[in-house]
Amino acid sequence: MITTLKINGKNHQIEAPEEMPLLWVIRDIIGLTGTKFGCGVAQCGACSILVDGILVKSCSMPLSFGIGKEITTIEGASGNLEILREAWQEGNVPQCGYCQSGQLIAATFLLENNANPTDEDIDNAMSGNICRCGTYPRIKKAIHSAVKLKNQGNE
Amino acid sequence: MSNIQKINRRDFVKIFGLTSTGIILGCNISSDKKEFIPASNENSFSPNLFIQIHKNGNITLMASRSEMGQGIRTSLASAIADEMEADWKYVTVKQAIGHEKYGNQNTDGSRSVRTILEPMRKMGATAKMMLIAAAAQKWNIAESDCKAENHFIINQKTTEKIFFGDLIDVASKMPIPDENTIQLKKVEDFNYIGKTLKSVDLKDFTHGTAKYGMDIRIPNMKFAAIARCPVTFGTVKSFDSSAAEKISGVEKVIQLDRIVPPIGQFFGALGGVAVIANNTWSAFQGKINLDIEWNYGENHSFDTEKFNELLTKRVHQKGKLVPGSKGNVTNAFTNAEQLMEATYHVPFLVHTPMEVPNATAWFQGDKVAVWAPVQDPQTARAEIAHFFEIPIENITVNVTFLGGGFGRKSKSDFVVEAVALSKKINAPVQVVWTREDDVKHSFYHATSVQYLKGSINEKGQVTGWLQRVALPSIVSSFKPLSDYASGFELNQGFTNNPYHIQNFRLENVKAEAHLRIGWMRSVVHIHSGFANNSFADELAFAAKKNPIDFQMELIGKDQIIERKSDYPYNSKRMKKVLENTAKIADFNRKRPENYGIGIAVHYSFYSYVATAVEVSVIDGNVKIEEVWTTIDCGLVLNKDNVINQLEGAAIFGISLALFGKITAKEGAVEQNNFFDYQMTRMKDAPKITINIIDAMNQPPTGVGEPGVPVIAPAICNAIFNATGKRIRTLPLIDVDFS
Ligand code: FES
Ligand code: FES
């Protein structure tokens, strides 16, 4: 089908089968490669994106699902994403970095919905994202420090 | 100017005679190295292959090893920058292509820092000396009156200073200093080495702009997925591609024959049926819709459960005596106060790096270009030269970021596949493995079965230790019918365990390979670390001794053992990490009911590690509560990076202990994806504390791997402490704790 997909505030005219997962539309058709493939079956979260603010595993949602909606990928920006990036860099979180697009998007979704998450909230929100390098302790710490950074900014 | 640069570089290589250090193998490097001579020559100066100083002061440093999360780009660059007295904020890192002029680029065995730190420091020191010489000439003073500091050369007489970038014209005309005159900095003078530097790639990692293998895009490139025979080395009998060809985006379906490696080297490729499409998803869909009949071949009868039974039977019979055995265990056993026996099982495992194997290749007649996440770009290049008969100088292997490697990406079968397909379709193509392909067609970490027998005297001391090891060998991937673990494998924690035991007998037991066997992070140390530490804990319990005291006794008296390497084993360092871990874990504190603590020590990649793990076992659920690891890895290049690696190693170890298990039935691997080959997730991740012993005057030793082998045994020992249940078979997910 020929359609328009709005990603990070920008409209993209595309042609792709409507059942093609958003992941591959974003990566192969539009060419934004920051969103990653890790499993293809909604198990690892590497492909996480936000669709109208909802956390979505893009490998498992078809193109048709994204039409007419606002999509945010790791190449995009939002207040929480910016602060999380800062905290990620501050905490030297990534190892290979491959899962971190998805981790940051999942963490953005968490902070959009929970301004002050506990460890348990983080465990629940982030357990859909696998990091084979094992950066979980740092991710957890970075989410807490993002909250602190944000509160400092609001003071 | 470019002339001078060429001569400089060649001389430099000559002077260093770097074959001895393993950093630059080819002394006759060609003068045609456009990749190092910037387009606008007048704007920069390259004193050697690894450094380029620009007029604006920016410095580009070349990373010759692959970045797969171990922080090597940052670490090696920081060593060069430190010796140069460069200001870190001017540094950017560029990834070297696969080429022998960079020396050995194979990134495995936790040895990058160990083997090339000193050459890298010398590269930096040379650049500094040339900048000093240039400044001295400008000021017309002696070089000894100049010093380098924070990106400037300072005139110590007048305190005048010149910026590095302003010296490049003159510096490029300075002679290359004699290697004998190079003085490396003292430990106390380091600016970056041993401190914490953040990864140079953080910005890219957090904006989705780091380019991994799968992110390579070339005009008109195709995407390919390959259906491989479920049974190792099976072949295509016939196939029907009509359904696949109907998938939108699919362009072609072609058969790819197995590319058989010559005996003794290379990996080749499995072959199968390839679907070529104009996007990844269509290629995947096409592959699912293929109808293929296979010739399964001789591995069809392979069954991991039966194989485990077979190995278990074999380890209960005598094996081949391994050199390094000593004393007389038979006597020890006869005179024992107590005898203990145990059999340990570790299943097959697979790496599952977050980024699946993939490669982009463009076969252009007499030339090949590859972009791929490879740990060993030179072997990839040599394989291409061999299998496709292309002169090696016409092959470029561009190393992308690796979304994890763990040993999987040192086998470049996926690169060979991409080149073969590109040749067939006459277009650039990216081969992408699905996660299922990765789980089902890997080079697996071998399974093992071990039988241990030990004797204790009336003082509760270990007097005899017999260990039989059945372990399919990695060598089988290079040489068929290699049915016993090889010497290098037994030297991973078996012949050289950290224990001082008078009567020690090691026996090697037959174990054939029916899957492709490869190395995975920590390799055979996973087996030795598990059995050694589990059995030590069993003996400690039998001897009614505190596990820490017992391990201390086993490590024994202070001694230094020179082995065939530059890194003698020092039992004092082993005891020190153990002592430290016991302290930070408050090991002897009484834990609440259902909680337990366990210890493990291991010596691998020349590093000393001790880990304590606390677990709880409540309502049949095992939870890893906390992990404490101490490492002595000699000189530390980047402190936070070491901590990050050790944290990651703990998580990697937890994954394999809790979930890791690959099984095969009728020759085919049964697991598919992360739902049946599970990984540690955030909710399973414990609090982790890492301590690094200050040993800055010792040479640097391994960091990426040594943190793994201790984790599984420490967990199992903790479970025993909590519940009295002894775990001898991994993984824990198969154990019923209710
Ligand atoms: S690729 Fe989508 S969840 Fe793994
Ligand atoms: S940083 Fe490598 S998978 Fe998360």
Side-chain angles (χ1 to χ4, degrees), chain A residues 38-40 42-45 47 57 59:
Chain A
C39 69
Q43 287 288 313
C44 76
C47 64
K57 297 204 160 94
C59 68

Side-chain angles (χ1 to χ4, degrees), chain B residues 20-298:
Chain B
S20 58
T21 61
I23 179 64
I24 291 179
L25 298 177
C27 284
N28 284 327
I29 55 177
S30 86
S31 55
D32 173 35
K33 283 194 315 312
K34 296 196 189 63
E35 59 272 36
F36 297 104
I37 300 168
S40 46
N41 252 342
E42 289 66 32
N43 290 325
S44 76
F45 156 56
S46 304
N48 55 59
L49 279 175
F50 293 85
I51 303 173
Q52 190 181 10
I53 310 167
H54 305 266
K55 211 166 203 145
N56 60 7
N58 288 345
I59 297 181
T60 309
L61 301 177
M62 200 60 76
S64 62
R65 298 289 169 112
S66 302
E67 180 61 74
M68 47 190 179
Q70 83 284 39
I72 199 69
R73 284 162 54 89
T74 308
S75 300
L76 291 181
S78 74
I80 303 176
D82 203 328
E83 290 291 349
M84 266 183 91
E85 301 296 351
D87 182 341
W88 188 244
K89 71 170 183 267
Y90 291 104
V91 171
T92 52
V93 178
K94 197 173 154 191
Q95 194 67 35
I97 57 165
H99 199 288
E100 60 277 8
K101 68 191 171 196
Y102 295 112
N104 183 351
Q105 292 176 272
N106 187 5
T107 314
D108 77 354
S110 295
R111 63 185 157 199
S112 292
V113 170
R114 205 170 79 220
T115 52
I116 64 175
L117 176 63
E118 191 174 310
M120 285 301 121
R121 288 176 62 189
K122 285 182 175 171
M123 297 285 169
T126 319
K128 176 178 76 182
M129 290 166 82
M130 291 171 80
L131 290 165
I132 285 180
Q137 194 181 75
K138 273 198 169 181
W139 285 319
N140 202 10
I141 58 172
E143 288 173 23
S144 54
D145 287 328
C146 300
K147 72 167 185 183
E149 200 178 282
N150 210 26
H151 237 72
F152 285 89
I153 304 296
I154 296 171
N155 182 335
Q156 289 179 295
K157 292 199 150 150
T158 63
T159 70
E160 253 180 296
K161 52 188 195 173
I162 313 180
F163 188 55
F164 276 8
D166 296 333
L167 283 167
I168 61 167
D169 287 342
V170 186
S172 65
K173 298 186 185 78
M174 292 295 126
I176 302 279
D178 185 331
E179 188 181 5
N180 299 327
T181 64
I182 296 176
Q183 278 189 1
L184 296 181
K185 288 170 75 172
K186 295 202 190 73
V187 171
E188 54 272 26
D189 297 330
F190 287 149
N191 294 324
Y192 304 126
I193 298 175
K195 314 275 160 38
T196 280
L197 274 183
K198 287 183 186 147
S199 161
V200 289
D201 300 308
L202 280 175
K203 197 157 171 272
D204 284 331
F205 285 156
T206 53
H207 287 78
T209 46
K211 291 271 176 266
Y212 298 86
M214 275 186 75
D215 303 333
I216 297 300
R217 295 290 179 263
I218 296 167
N220 301 319
M221 70 185 263
K222 307 294 174 197
F223 296 82
I226 303 173
R228 302 168 189 82
C229 182
V231 178
T232 309
F233 304 142
T235 53
V236 178
K237 194 190 279 174
S238 65
F239 68 95
D240 175 1
S241 59
S242 50
E245 278 165 26
K246 285 200 194 90
I247 307 275
S248 128
V250 170
E251 299 186 350
K252 217 182 258 166
V253 176
I254 44 182
Q255 187 171 331
L256 188 66
D257 290 333
R258 180 174 171 214
I259 297 172
V260 183
I263 288 181
Q265 56 175 337
F266 299 153
F267 300 96
L270 285 174
V273 179
V275 177
I276 314 291
N278 61 17
N279 69 80
T280 317
W281 183 69
S282 296
F284 285 1
Q285 290 302 104
K287 175 181 163 232
I288 294 169
N289 281 285
L290 287 171
D291 191 359
I292 309 172
E293 252 198 89
W294 303 101
N295 287 315
Y296 290 121
E298 58 189 43

Side-chain angles (χ1 to χ4, degrees), chain A residues 94-100 131-133 135, chain B residues 354:
Chain A
Q95 287 188 33
C96 81
Y98 192 81
C99 72
Q100 301 296 343
C131 175
R132 182 58 158 151
C133 298
T135 62
Chain B
M354 220 52 228

Side-chain angles (χ1 to χ4, degrees), chain A residues 72-147:
Chain A
T72 306
T73 70
I74 188 65
E75 289 91 348
S78 85
N80 281 325
L81 182 52
E82 283 309 320
I83 285 172
L84 285 160
R85 280 183 176 130
E86 207 182 312
W88 246 241
Q89 300 192 23
E90 188 48 47
N92 203 22
V93 172
Q95 287 188 33
C96 81
Y98 192 81
C99 72
Q100 301 296 343
S101 300
Q103 305 280 4
L104 279 160
I105 293 290
T108 303
F109 179 69
L110 168 65
L111 291 195
E112 305 279 325
N113 295 287
N114 183 344
N116 204 352
T118 61
D119 276 355
E120 206 186 328
D121 294 338
I122 295 174
D123 282 352
N124 289 333
M126 301 302 292
S127 282
N129 290 68
I130 294 173
C131 175
R132 182 58 158 151
C133 298
T135 62
Y136 302 119
R138 284 171 188 244
I139 291 174
K140 188 175 276 183
K141 225 168 123 189
I143 292 174
H144 285 308
S145 50
V147 171

Side-chain angles (χ1 to χ4, degrees), chain A residues 23 36-48 57-60 128, chain B residues 354 674:
Chain A
L23 170 66
K36 301 302 186 204
F37 166 72
C39 69
V41 291
Q43 287 288 313
C44 76
C47 64
S48 299
K57 297 204 160 94
S58 67
C59 68
S60 301
Chain B
M354 220 52 228
F674 291 129

Side-chain angles (χ1 to χ4, degrees), chain B residues 394-640:
Chain B
N394 291 359
I395 303 165
T396 313
V397 175
N398 300 284
V399 183
T400 63
F401 276 105
L402 279 66
F406 313 118
R408 175 62 186 94
K409 290 174 183 165
S410 49
K411 295 91 177 167
S412 28
D413 54 332
F414 48 94
V415 174
V416 173
E417 290 174 344
V419 176
L421 286 179
S422 176
K423 184 177 177 187
K424 275 186 195 276
I425 66 168
N426 204 10
V429 64
Q430 181 170 95
V431 167
V432 182
W433 289 42
T434 62
R435 178 60 66 194
E436 289 77 7
D437 294 337
D438 177 45
V439 169
K440 290 177 181 295
H441 305 288
S442 192
F443 288 84
Y444 297 92
H445 171 86
T447 187
S448 73
V449 180
Q450 297 179 59
Y451 168 78
L452 282 96
K453 186 170 177 180
S455 53
I456 302 174
N457 65 15
E458 64 292 343
K459 288 191 208 133
Q461 294 157 330
V462 177
T463 53
W465 180 292
L466 165 70
Q467 189 159 13
R468 293 197 191 118
V469 186
L471 171 81
S473 174
I474 289 167
V475 178
S476 63
S477 291
F478 301 98
K479 220 167 100 200
L481 306 177
S482 305
D483 289 346
Y484 284 84
S486 64
F488 88 86
E489 287 165 315
L490 295 172
N491 287 339
Q492 295 198 358
F494 292 111
T495 57
N496 53 353
N497 71 39
Y499 300 148
H500 181 70
I501 301 164
Q502 233 132 46
N503 303 297
F504 171 73
R505 185 181 172 95
L506 185 64
E507 293 177 15
N508 198 354
V509 175
K510 186 173 178 176
E512 308 82 346
H514 299 276
L515 297 171
R516 295 194 294 178
I517 307 295
W519 50 95
M520 188 188 80
R521 191 177 191 175
S522 305
V523 204
V524 174
H525 288 289
I526 291 173
H527 304 288
S528 55
F530 179 59
N532 296 353
N533 283 288
S534 299
F535 197 56
D537 206 66
E538 301 209 31
L539 292 171
F541 187 75
K544 299 193 179 60
K545 286 193 178 170
N546 172 298
I548 302 285
D549 301 341
F550 193 79
Q551 288 269 16
M552 270 309 172
E553 274 178 34
L554 265 178
I555 297 166
K557 61 172 198 245
D558 290 355
Q559 61 169 346
I560 292 173
I561 303 173
E562 307 276 348
R563 296 203 174 100
K564 278 182 247 137
S565 78
D566 299 338
Y567 306 89
Y569 165 80
N570 185 340
S571 66
K572 253 184 166 164
R573 295 171 78 183
M574 194 79 243
K575 286 185 279 186
K576 195 163 174 190
V577 293
L578 174 57
E579 199 174 63
N580 189 70
T581 293
K583 196 174 86 204
I584 58 176
D586 196 2
F587 193 90
N588 294 330
R589 172 168 68 83
K590 191 159 165 36
R591 261 77 191 168
E593 208 191 321
N594 302 322
Y595 279 67
I597 189 160
I599 187 80
V601 299
H602 200 67
Y603 173 67
S604 64
F605 308 93
Y606 307 114
S607 289
Y608 304 78
V609 173
T611 288
V613 174
E614 184 183 271
V615 303
S616 65
V617 186
I618 296 167
D619 298 335
N621 289 321
V622 175
K623 186 167 176 1
I624 318 294
E625 299 283 349
E626 199 161 347
V627 174
W628 300 265
T629 292
T630 309
I631 187 168
D632 176 348
C633 53
L635 180 142
V636 167
L637 196 36
N638 186 346
K639 206 166 169 190
D640 192 52

